[in-house]
Amino acid sequence: MKRREFIKKAGTGAVATGALVAGAPAVHAQKTIEIAMVSTWPRDFPGLGTGAQRFAKRLGDMTNGRMQVKYFAAGERVKAFDSFDEVASGNAQMYHGADYYWKGKHPGWAYFTAVPFGLTYTEMNAWIRFGGGQELWDELAGGFGIKGIMCGNTGSQMGGWFRKEINSSDDLKGLKMRIPGLGGDVMAKLGASPVSLPGGQIYENLVSGAIDATEWVGPWNDAFMKFYEAAKYYYFPGMHEPGSMLAVGMNKKWWDGLSKSDQLIIEAAGGMENDVMMAEYNAKNGSSLARLVSEQGVQLREFNDDVYDAFGEASAEVFEEVKGHSSLAAKIHESFVKARKDVGGWMKISDQAYLSQRNRVLEL
Ligand code: CA
């Protein structure tokens, strides 16, 4: 090419580029990010599964399709409880799940979903965002090659489904119950046999009699599971999951390689799901409970103070064991206890006191 021609072509190119920039927003070409996301929930499972799927879709929508998330429900790529290893190994980039499923790897994981006598949704958010919770989560997860962010919450869970009334802690003895996390350890202290089954396997085990009782989430989700066909007594309040936070766990090496803006987009999408999922549970639980009672003959029962006192004593023993596991477990526990005291103390004279008076005056 002659020099004159080169200059001419280069000039034309520059003009064309200039016109393009003037007529369109200045978008820098960014490469597509392919994300394989596994999950601990059955496909389209209300609340947990649909929330995870909504998050996956949101990442695509927020980036005009630049983040391409391929979502795999439990069993579609790996089994529910293999989600952690799939991400830690780098085979997949993300999982959506409840981190207390990993308590066998380290008991500290339980605190980042829910623990007995733990934090409500409001308290949990305060701890994670302002009480040192996220930093401890990063420390724990980082040791496993994972980075976790908040991505959903079920709020206070019900105590569970039982075939017989629970009038004292003696009634829990010998009971085979599906209850994961440290709540299961509390039940074991009281003579029950806890098992941890993924959501997709609970119904068959309850109906067949392989388990005597189960907890799952709350009225909206539990009605969908049809547990009332096998157990009529539905107890509240659950001591074991007062505000279960769901998480997106990401392969840490992959996360560290993302741009700051992509990290913020993922955090924003997760934070939004944390809010949206809680709103959905709160919007749907009440009417679902009313239908369970009126249409399915479900017997609503409240755990009495004696049973709750026994839960409290057993929990104290479980927490002593957790603290003895490692210095990190003890550090997480101490931070959580401080948040429960600080934030819970404020809740007592704000939300709790107000709700108690409002509901008394209006007879709600
Ligand atoms: Ca549960």
Side-chain angles (χ1 to χ4, degrees), residues 100-101 154 157-158 178-180 215-218 240-241 244:
Y100 69 176
Y101 288 142
T154 67
Q157 299 202 359
M158 292 290 284
R178 185 271 177 190
I179 175 168
E215 70 79 52
W216 177 231
V217 182
H240 60 303
E241 297 193 55
S244 299

Side-chain angles (χ1 to χ4, degrees), residues 22 28 40 51 108 117 130 161 163 241 275 309 320 337 340 353:
H28 298 287
T40 58
F117 291 84
F130 290 96
W161 297 84
R163 289 204 176 87
E241 297 193 55
D275 170 11
D309 287 346
E320 280 310 309
V337 166
R340 184 171 60 186

Side-chain angles (χ1 to χ4, degrees), residues 129-149:
R129 291 194 188 282
F130 290 96
Q134 182 70 56
E135 289 78 3
L136 287 165
W137 195 5
D138 288 346
E139 187 176 343
L140 171 69
F144 291 86
I146 297 275
K147 159 68 185 179
I149 59 165

Side-chain angles (χ1 to χ4, degrees), residues 210-234:
I211 55 173
D212 305 305
T214 187
E215 70 79 52
W216 177 231
V217 182
W220 174 41
N221 280 181
D222 294 9
F224 177 84
M225 297 286 248
K226 296 188 164 54
F227 294 140
Y228 53 79
E229 291 179 357
K232 285 289 182 202
Y233 294 104
Y234 195 23

